[in-house]
Amino acid sequence: MAVISGVGGSVTFASGYVTAVRSWNITITADSLETTSMNPTNGFRTHIGGLKSWSGSYSAYVDGAAFADIDDQLGGNPSSATFKLVSGSDDPNISGSILITDIAVTATTDSAVEVEFTFTGSANPTIANT
């Protein structure tokens, strides 16, 4: 079995600024719609699939110019995002438009300022090799 590692990613805001992604996670979910009728067979519920959604978060370093406008990304127009799983010319990746829903800034004396962005995907993500 081939194992892959997550070593890359970028997010481009509507303004054109590209963040230096440090880590990321994505969750893809599907609604489960109950279709149980009265007196179900063997007493078990039944379900069908519903709408899908995706969300996640990523941690990034930002420069001083971008930091001054960081709150403009919150709840603004969806930004394009590409999250790569490995570093190379034919990398598996997940890309799409994301809407930033939460921003958390962490500053410590022994590290660069790190910003955690939480997002909701807009429409479907593209999962492919580039």
Side-chain angles (χ1 to χ4, degrees):
M1 169 173 70
V3 178
I4 57 178
S5 65
V7 296
S10 66
V11 175
T12 303
F13 290 111
S15 65
Y17 179 76
V18 179
T19 59
V21 173
R22 184 171 185 276
S23 65
W24 57 270
N25 72 71
I26 293 175
T27 302
I28 301 172
T29 59
D31 292 338
S32 173
L33 308 175
E34 186 173 346
T35 58
T36 310
S37 60
M38 299 297 282
N39 297 318
T41 304
N42 297 325
F44 283 89
R45 298 178 185 273
T46 57
H47 295 87
I48 60 172
L51 294 173
K52 297 176 189 175
S53 61
W54 62 294
S55 61
S57 65
Y58 67 93
S59 180
Y61 299 121
V62 295
D63 62 29
F67 189 79
D69 297 324
I70 202 167
D71 64 326
D72 292 342
Q73 308 309 324
L74 189 61
N77 292 325
S79 301
S80 65
T82 300
F83 300 94
K84 291 188 177 284
L85 298 174
V86 292
S87 175
S89 60
D90 191 27
D91 301 341
N93 68 70
I94 301 172
S95 62
S97 292
I98 60 172
L99 179 67
I100 304 296
T101 58
D102 188 55
I103 297 172
V105 179
T106 301
T108 63
T109 58
D110 61 349
S111 181
V113 172
E114 195 169 335
V115 183
E116 178 86 12
F117 297 87
T118 303
F119 63 85
T120 298
S122 180
N124 62 304
T126 300
I127 302 172
N129 287 341
T130 53

